Amino acid sequence: QVQLVESGGGLVQPGGSLRLSCVASGNILSLSVMGWYRQAPENERELVATITSGGTINYVESVKGRFVISRDNAKKTAFLQMNSLKPEDTDVYFCYARAQSSQVPYYLDYWGQGTQVTVSS
């Protein structure tokens, strides 16, 4: 199986920055996509940004120009640099990966436990 562990959430003032990290571990054969979703209570989980192993990136419109996603394939780690944060960015952020493990011969979706990001003065 594949485990995802996030870090880097916290409380920041509007206009500030945070950097989230997500490390994948387990019997991983391939990590085709890594990314971040976010979810507030009673809301659906929303895609924030994804990046493929080849470097193709996708952002939700509301974070374009402010957030930057990157990954280190050798370290099986994804990063989300969040700049110019706004109160509406307050959410629980979940790391996501589409991965193939040695136990399962096809790709599955995996999720981290979530990390709280709060933007408030």
Side-chain angles (χ1 to χ4, degrees), residues 11-26:
L11 172 65
V12 64
Q13 292 186 341
S17 298
L18 283 175
R19 188 186 194 217
L20 305 182
S21 300
C22 173
V23 180
S25 62

Side-chain angles (χ1 to χ4, degrees), residues 10-16 85-90 117-121:
L11 172 65
V12 64
Q13 292 186 341
L85 282 160
K86 304 175 181 180
E88 50 263 43
D89 293 317
T90 296
V117 171
T118 303
V119 185
S120 175
S121 55

Side-chain angles (χ1 to χ4, degrees), residues 54-65:
T56 299
I57 291 173
N58 182 41
Y59 294 106
V60 68
E61 191 66 33
S62 61
V63 308
K64 287 181 179 178

